[in-house]
Amino acid sequence: MYQVPDQHGKLAVVTGANSGTGKEAAKRLAGAGAHVVLAVRTPAKGEQARADILAAHPGAQVEVRRLDLADLTSVRSFADGLVAEGRPLDLLLNNAGVMNVPQRTETADGFELQLGSNFLGPFALTVQLLPLLLAAPAPRVATMSSGTANRARIDFDDLQSTRAYSPTRAYAQSKLADMLMMLHLSDLAADRGWPLLSAGAHPGYTRTNLMTSGPTLNGGRPGLLESVLYKIVPSQGPEQGAEPLLYAATSPDTTPGGYYGPRWAMVGPTKTVPAPRSARDKSVAARLWAEAERLTGAAAPSRVS
């Protein structure tokens, strides 16, 4: 099992920290000494996760704050609250997501739900927290993607899936967008001389409620093929599934733009994995970043004071 290095004195934000890989990552970071903010859509679930973490690590520094990535007003409120406090942010773990929503659904801002929750919300959050990240001595942003991104492409002509909606295609596009964001942020840091390290991860086939909560939205249910695959494809628990993200966020061996996942694709200990060719197209990444700035109204600073 990956041992998280000492994190005493560090402030970490983990999105989707009330369950699954987010809760496990928050627990391990808190156990290593970090002050962890559980950024969750439902505070009551966050408080239960906090209680569970404190039961495992009495005296850990863990707090709950509301964040709905499907609502840019919520993202702004969350970021503004941290910025107002002024404490440098050492770690941002973009973990939260929604998967395979059966019918096209929109966020509070009119975005397709999977693109909005998985990419545009995390993009706005990351950009709005950059002043705090860049105030830390060695900040990191670790972003969770998915193996499904390997089969995706960014459809700029129908980014919001208004003309044609497929639950799996929309999900895969959103996770490829996360990888492109991660790599473009790494390039921005290098170009602008920021001390920030941006890296990514995918959890393989990890048993979390991500697999079931999305397909059941709006009265939907997983299809027969999905239900069968859930039972026969090799899988692992959140304890193992969270490790690539934790590695990206904390390992001394993490490299800028590095991408990490299970050794055997679906399961296993963490190793460096290749990003798909579609994620390495810098022109697509730059175009997507500019489009995300336009859609969210959030823009990265050109300089750091």
Side-chain angles (χ1 to χ4, degrees):
M1 180 175 284
Y2 174 67
Q3 297 297 315
V4 176
D6 181 74
Q7 301 294 304
H8 282 88
K10 292 186 177 182
L11 176 64
V13 168
V14 182
T15 68
N18 61 281
S19 66
T21 54
K23 180 179 177 182
E24 178 65 21
K27 178 181 176 181
R28 304 261 285 271
L29 289 170
H35 180 132
V36 181
V37 176
L38 310 183
V40 299
R41 188 177 64 230
T42 308
K45 293 180 179 179
E47 291 294 349
Q48 182 57 59
R50 179 178 181 273
D52 293 344
I53 292 170
L54 291 177
H57 301 291
Q61 300 178 77
V62 186
E63 62 175 293
V64 176
R65 300 196 186 201
R66 185 177 184 278
L67 170 65
D68 183 354
L69 290 165
D71 183 346
L72 292 181
T73 298
S74 175
V75 174
R76 169 62 70 182
S77 178
F78 177 89
D80 284 350
L82 286 174
V83 170
E85 293 170 13
R87 180 175 175 181
L89 177 61
D90 300 277
L91 305 174
L92 171 60
L93 278 66
N94 287 317
N95 164 82
V98 63
M99 178 180 180
N100 294 354
V101 179
Q103 296 179 342
R104 188 182 182 280
T105 305
E106 292 189 349
T107 69
D109 305 285
F111 305 136
E112 186 277 313
L113 181 60
Q114 295 186 88
L115 186 77
S117 297
N118 298 349
F119 169 59
L120 292 171
F123 172 87
L125 177 68
T126 300
V127 169
Q128 290 166 17
L129 290 178
L130 275 174
L132 292 184
L133 286 160
L134 297 176
R140 292 196 190 188
V141 176
T143 300
M144 187 75 95
S145 183
S146 167
T148 62
N150 293 18
R151 305 187 299 273
R153 70 180 183 89
I154 303 299
D155 185 356
F156 287 105
D157 292 329
D158 192 23
L159 195 62
Q160 304 292 342
S161 303
T162 53
R163 292 201 295 269
Y165 178 74
S166 159
T168 53
R169 189 170 61 242
Y171 177 70
Q173 176 183 242
S174 73
K175 301 314 285 185
L176 174 59
D178 282 337
M179 204 182 305
L180 288 161
M181 174 183 76
M182 177 274 289
L183 290 167
H184 192 70
L185 179 60
S186 184
D187 287 344
L188 278 182
D191 292 344
R192 300 181 183 181
W194 296 344
L196 182 144
L197 191 156
S198 174
H202 80 83
Y205 203 142
T206 298
R207 297 183 298 275
T208 71
N209 62 11
L210 181 70
M211 301 292 183
T212 56
S213 60
T216 59
L217 282 177
N218 304 325
R221 61 181 180 179
L224 178 61
L225 179 61
E226 288 175 304
S227 299
V228 171
L229 289 175
Y230 291 161
K231 297 177 181 178
I232 65 173
V233 173
S235 62
Q236 60 192 9
E239 297 79 9
Q240 188 72 59
E243 292 202 347
L245 188 66
L246 282 167
Y247 187 96
T250 67
S251 173
D253 297 322
T254 301
T255 58
Y259 188 48
Y260 306 93
R263 177 169 296 169
W264 299 293
M266 295 291 191
V267 298
T270 298
K271 73 166 189 174
T272 301
V273 294
R277 181 179 299 176
S278 55
R280 300 195 298 269
D281 189 323
K282 291 183 183 294
S283 64
V284 170
R287 181 181 176 186
L288 182 65
W289 185 280
E291 181 66 3
E293 288 188 332
R294 186 187 71 82
L295 289 169
T296 65
S302 57
R303 64 175 61 187
V304 183
S305 57

